[in-house]
Amino acid sequence: MRPFECPNCRRLNHFEVRVCPGCSATLGYDPAIDGFRFLADGATVWRDGKGAVGAVAVCQNNNAYQICNWLVSAADSTPFCRACRHNRTIPDLTEPSVPMRWAKVEAAKRRLFHELIRLGAPLETKAQEVPGRQGLAFDFLYDPAAETLGHAQILTGHDSGVITLNLIEADDAARERVRILLGEPYRTLLGHFRHEVGHHFWSRLVGPDPDALAECRALFGDDTQDYDSALRTHYASGSSKVWTDDFVSFYATSHPWEDFAETFAHYLHIVDLLATARGFDLSIEPLPDSTDTNDVAIDFDPYLAPTTQLAAKMAPLSFAMNAINRSMGQNDLYPFHLSERVVAKLDFVNRLLAGARAQRPKALQPAG
Ligand SMILES: [Zn+2]
Ligand SMILES: [Zn+2]
Ligand SMILES: [Zn+2]
């Protein structure tokens, strides 16, 4: 995502900031303007920097737990922001390790929602659920057994629109141990959310639509094959299993539903990466004597761009970004390869979301 300007002093800030380091103004993110407002006039109003006062209030999760920097429209029927209103279960906050972990979880979830809102994805809560329009909810659970590697009792996953996250995933050491154990090149909270929400959008947009379902099966394979036994086989065969570049990750080979969720996550990764590059006006020019003719200038809106355009920019951009990470001794930023087949799958996700966006009433379309 792009950097966000403080509306009071114009300094650029990260999305998570609550107090501007430049002018000490209290900031709140307002999804309706996709920007920050600042608390003004003796902390009585939220101004946007252009003189306008917003009819907004701080998210209830900020008032109660200081855990959210989003604002809620006064016209909304809930005191929770567009990200927090989907929470069904919050963790037991009396456990000392929980508040810090939950804060990380919510920060990652807000990035997920920022992108879904920008993409115009349909977002219903469980209270708004009707047949064929599955609502989305989150259970964030503390699992004492998970403090010992391999003993977790709560599985992170998706079921009928409910995303369950074991809070241990917010512990860097524990999550990294699991990443290495499973041979994964990438494992983050944001990655979990982007993957699990992919399962939700399969049920929300693919399952109920016969045409989408037929095309999805042609691309990703027959999802009616037994899911539990497919996953058991996947974990039992380990790295001996064949992994062609028809799949964006090794885990995507386990079952067509996992392939879809992994691909959905990658669509969100790619759009956000390119939106960030565009927000900073980053560009890459090949060296004059290089045979590489791929230059990167993000002169289009990644949230609306065709997949071929996204993929063409990702190749040189991720190569450069990986090089930057390596120069700090870090793992590659984007340790994946977009084959032609993967791009075709990404294109399905892109068109699926574009179709959902086109069906929404004009007033709900994301701004610019
Ligand atoms: Zn400021
Ligand atoms: Zn909130
Ligand atoms: Zn999955």
Side-chain angles (χ1 to χ4, degrees):
M1 64 175 67
R2 64 180 174 81
F4 288 88
E5 210 173 51
C6 167
N8 188 40
C9 75
R10 304 288 164 206
R11 179 191 164 117
L12 290 181
N13 285 301
H14 290 298
F15 189 53
E16 291 77 12
V17 160
R18 193 196 308 269
V19 176
C20 174
C23 70
S24 300
T26 298
L27 302 179
Y29 173 78
D30 183 352
I33 59 168
D34 189 26
F36 281 135
R37 293 182 181 276
F38 71 105
L39 198 52
D41 305 1
T44 55
V45 293
W46 289 94
R47 293 193 178 275
D48 69 356
K50 295 176 193 141
V53 171
V56 291
V58 177
C59 173
Q60 178 67 31
N61 268 351
N62 189 60
N63 288 331
Y65 308 113
Q66 296 79 51
I67 212 158
C68 181
N69 69 342
W70 281 28
L71 300 170
V72 192
S73 164
D76 266 339
S77 55
T78 161
F80 292 101
C81 76
R82 290 192 65 184
C84 290
R85 67 186 56 171
H86 292 268
N87 285 1
R88 193 175 74 165
T89 314
I90 63 166
D92 173 8
L93 294 163
T94 59
E95 166 59 38
S97 70
V98 166
M100 183 75 93
R101 289 181 187 174
W102 185 39
K104 288 188 195 174
V105 166
E106 290 293 345
K109 199 189 74 188
R110 283 194 296 277
R111 283 190 171 254
L112 169 79
F113 273 86
H114 172 269
E115 189 171 16
L116 293 174
I117 291 168
R118 286 303 315 266
L119 287 166
L123 290 167
E124 290 93 9
T125 62
K126 279 291 171 194
Q128 296 165 322
E129 183 169 281
V130 291
R133 288 188 167 202
Q134 179 176 273
L136 176 62
F138 295 84
D139 287 347
F140 299 130
L141 304 175
Y142 173 65
D143 176 9
E147 303 297 326
T148 310
L149 180 66
H151 288 72
Q153 297 294 303
I154 293 160
L155 290 180
T156 292
H158 165 268
D159 185 15
S160 309
V162 178
I163 292 173
T164 301
L165 186 91
N166 188 322
L167 226 61
I168 196 70
E169 290 291 341
D171 183 89
D172 292 342
R175 189 184 60 253
E176 190 64 7
R177 278 202 301 273
V178 174
R179 184 185 73 76
I180 292 162
L181 199 70
L182 296 178
E184 295 174 346
Y186 170 88
R187 190 177 181 93
T188 66
L189 285 172
L190 184 54
H192 281 314
F193 280 132
R194 287 175 172 166
H195 172 100
E196 300 303 344
V197 90
H199 288 302
H200 163 67
F201 280 109
W202 190 97
S203 307
R204 175 65 180 79
L205 298 174
V206 180
D209 179 338
D211 292 338
L213 186 58
E215 191 184 350
C216 189
R217 284 178 175 160
L219 270 169
F220 294 86
D222 179 11
D223 57 83
T224 62
Q225 62 182 276
D226 188 76
Y227 179 75
D228 291 334
S229 78
L231 283 204
R232 269 197 305 277
T233 308
H234 174 77
Y235 286 117
S237 55
S239 57
S240 65
K241 195 170 164 187
V242 176
W243 172 28
T244 68
D245 67 3
D246 287 355
F247 300 87
V248 74
S249 70
F250 181 53
Y251 188 55
T253 66
S254 61
H255 187 279
W257 284 339
E258 296 306 335
D259 191 10
F260 179 84
E262 283 289 87
T263 305
F264 192 94
H266 275 261
Y267 177 74
L268 297 187
H269 291 334
I270 289 166
V271 168
D272 200 15
L273 271 167
L274 292 171
T276 306
R278 186 190 191 211
F280 283 91
D281 206 12
L282 283 182
S283 62
I284 299 166
E285 297 203 11
L287 298 172
D289 55 351
S290 166
T291 55
D292 186 354
T293 55
N294 290 321
D295 68 311
V296 175
I298 319 294
D299 48 3
F300 56 87
D301 181 352
Y303 297 101
L304 302 173
T307 318
T308 46
Q309 198 168 26
L310 299 174
K313 300 293 179 181
M314 264 306 282
L317 183 71
S318 58
F319 182 66
M321 291 300 188
N322 290 349
I324 289 170
N325 265 29
R326 288 178 188 212
S327 70
M328 278 296 287
Q330 301 278 8
N331 291 339
D332 283 352
L333 178 85
Y334 187 76
F336 303 97
H337 164 66
L338 300 178
S339 69
E340 220 172 282
R341 179 95 179 136
V342 168
V343 172
K345 292 176 181 177
L346 287 166
D347 189 51
F348 176 75
V349 172
N350 191 351
R351 286 183 289 110
L352 192 69
L353 289 170
R357 185 163 55 236
Q359 282 175 20
R360 302 172 72 212
K362 264 276 176 276
L364 295 176
Q365 301 284 339

